[in-house]
Amino acid sequence: MSRASTRFDTKKVNSELVTLTYGSLVAQMVKDIENPDDVNKQLERLGYNMGIRLVEDFLAKTNSGRCLDLKDTADKIQSAFRMYLGVLPNVANWSPAGDEFSFILDSNPLTDLVELPEDLKSLRYCNIICGAIRGALEMVQLDIQSWIVQDQLKGDSNTEIRVKFIRKLEDAIPVGEE
Amino acid sequence: MVIYGVYIVSKSGGLIFNYDHNVPKIETEKTFSYPLDIKLQCENKKVIVEFGQRDGIHVGHLLYAINGIPVTGRQLDDGRDVFEVLENKENYPINIKFGRAKMTTNEKIFLASMFYPLFAIASQLSPEPKSSGIEILEADTFKLHCFQTLTGVKMMVVADPSQAGIDILLKRIYEIYADYALKNPFYSLEMPIRCELFDVNLKTVLEQIEKFGNRGSTFVARVAYSPEKTIFHVIRCAS
């Protein structure tokens, strides 16, 4: 719906606000939950809970239909990245079976002003994105796994988020749908 | 041009939102002499008119009050039984108020969960594979429009059969749901929607549709009246 997407554009906020808010959230979590692995888990859960709500917003505003293959899904998530983070990642590194792919982000607004201290090398700072992808896809009956392969915060040249298709949640599909 | 109500049913079939909009209130009050020429009956713990339709009192109407005393179930609020009062000749002339039965919240929840399997059956009955469920259910006094999102939430609008622009309305309700219910951090999924912002925005959209919906697609163009916006919307209608 063109009207909806135009309306969406009018509500842009400065990405630094997002960067800082997210930064303070992660910093607080690191303080509260000393073990970085637990922080990773919590971030993923947080993202998951965001994803299951955000997907409705995406569907309501883009008017998109059900995905029939993973390429379709990748395209839609790519446009969701643009909508919610203002970046357009590349979709690459497809597995031969076509059930796994990566999003390559050369810039990531969440990490814009961030440097990871030595003792937090195991922290997956952007894990919230993985959770959001998993939550959103679960609501449209796709079970996937998502994790970070490369991280700019750890010296890699890009941030790479891997998505692996596990199965279609057949029994959760609403009646009268595909 | 009327929209009677909006219902939202969750993925698991529970009614999470309902809103009555513009339901005409029909009440008739009349003084009767003995014997009463309207046949009344007690059904589902309510006293309803069974036979003898006249003067705006229709079969199926509910007995609201006798001599100004409200009736609950088959009892007057002062404890007397309705039928005993009506059979007693000494109580006449008697003033009785009739009206259309209002749906209780329980009945609404019941009906909403009833629609859920109907929707499923319709999709199974279909001669074509992969058919959707019921999208429009038409009766002589109303049309029920149903839109199921990819995540399984159903938005339903009960409207006058001639009301146009319901497709746009359903999409708008979905947007409002995504914005004001789901983005409210204190709203938990699958629970009834009690968000004031949601109600307010929904009412605005319903009023807009009722005012302009009968003009079909020009609806979008007319809503925003500022000149620049009008141009923007007209372009969209054309595309």
Side-chain angles (χ1 to χ4, degrees):
Chain A
M1 244 197 288
S2 59
R3 177 186 55 82
S5 58
T6 335
R7 200 183 64 143
F8 189 81
D9 283 343
T10 58
K11 281 194 199 158
K12 274 186 175 153
V13 298
N14 191 323
S15 74
E16 275 184 26
L17 180 66
V18 180
T19 313
L20 294 174
T21 320
Y22 185 64
S24 59
L25 173 81
V26 178
Q28 188 65 46
M29 283 171 85
V30 168
K31 226 177 262 172
D32 290 350
I33 316 170
E34 282 154 25
N35 184 356
D37 290 335
D38 290 342
V39 178
N40 292 341
K41 260 182 224 149
Q42 284 300 322
L43 283 176
E44 213 266 355
R45 248 187 65 188
L46 217 74
Y48 173 83
N49 286 324
M50 281 169 65
I52 58 178
R53 290 166 181 247
L54 210 55
V55 66
E56 305 272 11
D57 182 71
F58 178 78
L59 293 174
K61 283 176 180 158
T62 55
N63 218 5
S64 50
R66 185 171 293 280
C67 299
L68 299 174
D69 66 359
L70 204 60
K71 293 220 165 49
D72 232 358
T73 314
D75 282 350
K76 298 238 162 81
I77 303 175
Q78 196 184 25
S79 65
F81 265 105
R82 227 182 90 87
M83 248 170 108
Y84 297 110
L85 286 176
V87 289
L88 196 67
N90 283 323
V91 180
N93 299 348
W94 281 91
S95 69
D99 64 343
E100 249 183 77
F101 62 92
S102 295
F103 290 112
I104 315 265
L105 291 94
D106 12 285
S107 74
N108 178 354
L110 292 185
T111 60
D112 266 352
L113 314 160
V114 181
E115 287 174 54
L116 219 51
E118 276 306 316
D119 56 329
L120 284 177
K121 280 298 175 209
S122 63
L123 177 72
R124 293 197 283 272
Y125 190 84
C126 297
N127 225 13
I128 199 166
I129 299 181
C130 300
I133 295 175
R134 184 170 71 90
L137 290 189
E138 189 181 298
M139 289 303 274
V140 286
Q141 299 87 39
L142 289 176
D143 193 6
I144 60 115
Q145 227 173 21
S146 173
W147 66 95
I148 298 170
V149 186
Q150 291 188 65
D151 197 336
Q152 274 166 321
L153 291 178
K154 293 174 186 165
D156 299 319
S157 55
N158 297 311
T159 299
E160 178 177 346
I161 297 170
R162 193 102 181 123
V163 175
K164 180 182 165 62
F165 170 86
I166 301 182
R167 66 194 177 102
K168 212 168 146 186
L169 300 162
E170 291 289 349
D171 35 334
I173 294 180
V175 203
E177 282 286 343
E178 294 313 320
Chain B
M1 291 302 143
V2 193
I3 291 163
Y4 296 118
V6 176
Y7 301 82
I8 300 180
V9 176
S10 77
K11 191 167 55 172
S12 45
L15 183 67
I16 54 171
F17 179 81
N18 82 81
Y19 169 64
D20 288 329
H21 184 73
N22 253 338
V23 179
K25 202 172 152 193
I26 294 175
E27 282 181 358
T28 335
E29 207 163 356
K30 207 172 135 47
T31 307
F32 294 88
S33 53
Y34 190 82
L36 191 65
D37 54 355
I38 289 180
K39 178 99 182 78
L40 296 173
Q41 199 198 22
C42 188
E43 199 176 82
N44 292 334
K45 293 184 192 155
K46 284 176 199 157
V47 182
I48 59 165
V49 178
E50 198 194 12
F51 203 64
Q53 173 165 315
R54 65 179 177 98
D55 304 331
I57 300 164
H58 292 261
V59 170
H61 274 189
L62 196 71
L63 196 141
Y64 273 3
I66 295 181
N67 290 337
I69 308 167
V71 173
T72 334
R74 54 177 292 165
Q75 242 184 7
L76 279 165
D77 276 5
D78 58 8
R80 288 179 295 167
D81 184 90
V82 170
F83 289 96
E84 277 169 27
V85 173
L86 292 177
E87 275 157 28
N88 191 342
K89 195 176 175 181
E90 284 161 24
N91 289 329
Y92 286 80
I94 200 166
N95 181 286
I96 310 180
K97 189 155 130 190
F98 292 97
R100 218 158 62 176
K102 291 186 199 97
M103 249 201 287
T104 64
T105 311
N106 263 343
E107 284 168 330
K108 280 180 194 157
I109 293 173
F110 174 73
L111 288 178
S113 50
M114 195 86 128
F115 185 76
Y116 188 78
L118 271 183
F119 186 92
I121 290 170
S123 125
Q124 310 235 309
L125 271 181
S126 159
E128 295 286 334
K130 308 240 180 234
S131 164
S132 79
I134 297 173
E135 286 179 346
I136 296 176
L137 189 142
E138 195 169 353
D140 57 350
T141 52
F142 73 92
K143 233 182 194 177
L144 185 148
H145 303 253
C146 176
F147 164 66
Q148 177 169 263
T149 70
L150 293 181
T151 53
V153 181
K154 289 185 193 66
M155 317 275 158
M156 290 190 272
V157 168
V158 178
D160 190 273
S162 61
Q163 175 74 42
I166 301 284
D167 292 2
I168 307 169
L169 174 65
L170 287 167
K171 294 266 157 61
R172 286 289 291 133
I173 295 175
Y174 187 24
E175 277 179 51
I176 294 171
Y177 167 73
D179 277 347
Y180 299 103
L182 292 177
K183 284 183 196 166
N184 181 345
F186 302 107
Y187 169 72
S188 35
L189 292 181
E190 299 267 311
M191 291 307 279
I193 302 171
R194 296 190 213 287
C195 310
E196 209 185 311
L197 275 174
F198 178 82
D199 295 353
V200 172
N201 283 282
L202 180 71
K203 272 175 215 164
T204 319
V205 172
L206 289 180
E207 275 153 28
Q208 283 175 354
I209 295 273
E210 275 191 335
K211 248 189 202 157
F212 303 104
N214 50 353
R215 291 175 210 160
S217 61
T218 56
F219 150 72
V220 189
R222 308 251 170 152
V223 176
Y225 199 64
S226 80
E228 40 178 321
K229 275 193 183 156
T230 309
I231 292 167
F232 157 70
H233 283 307
V234 170
I235 291 169
R236 183 198 160 252
C237 284
S239 64

